[in-house]
Amino acid sequence: MVQSHFNEGELVGVLTTQPLGRVLDYKAPEGGAFVGAYVEVPLGPRRIAGVVWGPGAGDYHYAKVRSVLRVLDVAPMRDEMRTFLSRAADYTLTPRDAMLRLATRVSGLGDPPGVRRVYRLGTSEPDRMTDARRAVLEVLRDYGGLSFTLKELADMAGVGTSVVKGMVKLGAVSEEDAPRDTAYPRLDPDHGGKDLTPDQAAGAQVLAQAVASGQYGATLLKGVTGSGKTEVYLEAVAACLRAGRQALVLLPEIALTGEFLDRVEARFGQRPAEWHSGVTQTERRRCWRMVGQGDADLVVGARSALFLPYRDLGLIVVDEEHDTSYKQEDGVLYNARDMAVLRAAGNGAQVVLASATPSLESWANVESGKYRRLELTSRFGVAVMPKMSAIDMRSEDLPGGRWVSPTLRRAMQDRLEKGEQSLVFLNRRGYAPITLCRACGHQIGCDDCDARMVEHRFLKRLMCHQCGATKPMPTVCPHCAAEDRLSAVGPGVERMGEEVQALFPDARVAVLSSDLYGSARAMKAHIADIAAGGTDIIIGTQLVAKGHNFPKLTLVGVIDADLGLQGSDLRAAERTFQLMRQVAGRAGRADIPGEALLQTYQPDHAVIRSIVAGDEEAFWAAEAAERKAAGVPPYGRMAGIVLSSTNVQEVFDLGTAMARQDGPLRRIGAQVFGPAPAPIARIRGRHRVRLLVKAEKSAPLQQALAEWAGQFKLSKDLRMAIDIDPQSFY
Ligand code: ADP
Ligand code: ZN
């Protein structure tokens, strides 16, 4: 029997959020403490947060052990959450304190409940409208019924607090004292379900039964964009609510949340809790606390919502499960899809992975019987997957510095005449990827990275896409000082906008790229305007591939279908296949059939051919066979190690030593490759060296890696990042 309560003075082990590498002993405070209690403890002169993890180790002089300062007034961390954090730490080779930080990212966690002054939309319009007042009203309307603190509201509207106060006097904004952290309204599973098609109903029933079983299980929900996956998994959410348990829906992109919240409200009569970087601190704190005491039925959020302290989580949906943004690329390196499965397994919860183009990992898990597969085969209504074809660029007549082929141009002209929309897709932000000096051949690079600077004409600057550094566009070459010889090479979306506007002077052209907006709100408004038909031709990056619905769009032209196939990334083929299908899927959602044209210089490339043929099963089978033969994920295990330092010699020396002292890895049959300069050999002034470790699927890779890495002492300037199953190779 594990001890669950400690009396005053008994030793407890506290895991803190500080990077100490171990659990510290403290004496339980007056009134004692339960295991899992969130506490505040003294550390040197500071007070820090932690969680009672278990009994103390007692290996320190009792008299010198300090006492827990106080137990915070929040629901204690549940056993399954502690287990989850420990397992996640082991899996990702992350210290447990870092996992605890992920799980406690709210400010004022221990503040006593009380009241605070909040501001909401008032009842009357101000008699005189100013820009500042309009901005305040817009924020309040945008966020539905949510309330703000004075500072939050003023900050979000970009006005002074006096503007808000003035509006209170006019009755345009209401001011009231509200209790902190109120419960979210209950969602009603019977509020507004749609009549499902037989296909959808069958899928919904399978999921509902799985959720009702109260057991762990995982399902891949596959279906083309528009087939009703969302409708189906909302029924799984309904089943979860009926069972009295909580549900979590993860979305890959904050920009999609607004539209999704409206759908939840239509289905369940109320809005759910929200958790992502766009949510105010006040709201985050409320969400964290309410989730913990079971007063939030459904959370819609980003990957970090997996680390909320659910009271009873019964369902996790990972929408667009193949999306690369689920992989956290700095700090704790984790893949939200894997963590969702881990979390559900320990909770008797169901996981639903939804996608039109599943990851090979999920295909493999279906194949091996670990996941159930549900498929929605047709689009809702009459629309079908667009007709796909390749444009062979080798035989198109196109002058240098132009990228829209005559064939694509004719197709766009045709759409313009019919009053339909076209999308020109190019996955490259900015104006041009290269700025070249025509006199000496110099390409302008970043001072701190081994990367070219990308011209952003809209911002009138050059920008490094690695570190974000910018500098003004020079007029003389920084290398040879020649004047006016710098020229833009290659296309970015901004440049495509120029070319398309020149081809179709009367068309309304809009460039859609995440860096062109001052705020998420501005972007949302623009997207809504486009969807309503305010644009004839959309030029877009990856941003448009994700979930937005443009009903008048019937043509997708991909400027460079070969782009993603370059490079050494093990997932290059998979990514290209997914992205092309996602983008093509934007066309013809409504009742007019769509068409997708892919510009390529290698129409005979196996990947391009399978995209055009639309034969998914064949593509996945071929891709799986290749990975199997190479022993790489998902059929083998891999870890990427990146060493970095400002001193190039030091990184290589460590890399070489690691490659040599590979005993712990060899013992499990794993191989080390490298050291080699990373594809981007310098970022932010730090030199980067990579090693790759490959092992068999069943090998205990994490333990071996921990033992291996533990052999080396890192100097202060050296950093080692271990990435289990790396998704990107940079
Ligand atoms: P997916 O998630 O697969 O892209 P959605 O669930 O978003 O598909 O469905 C696409 C569109 O079709 C949505 O506007 C949705 O409301 C509508 N739709 C899907 N199924 C039905 C249905 N059975 N009845 C009414 N509308 C539906
Ligand atoms: Zn840089």
Side-chain angles (χ1 to χ4, degrees), residues 446-451 453 464-469 682-684:
C446 174
D447 296 337
D448 300 319
C449 308
D450 279 359
M453 297 288 272
C464 171
H465 285 184
Q466 294 308 322
C467 73
R682 196 172 50 114
I683 296 183
R684 292 173 214 267

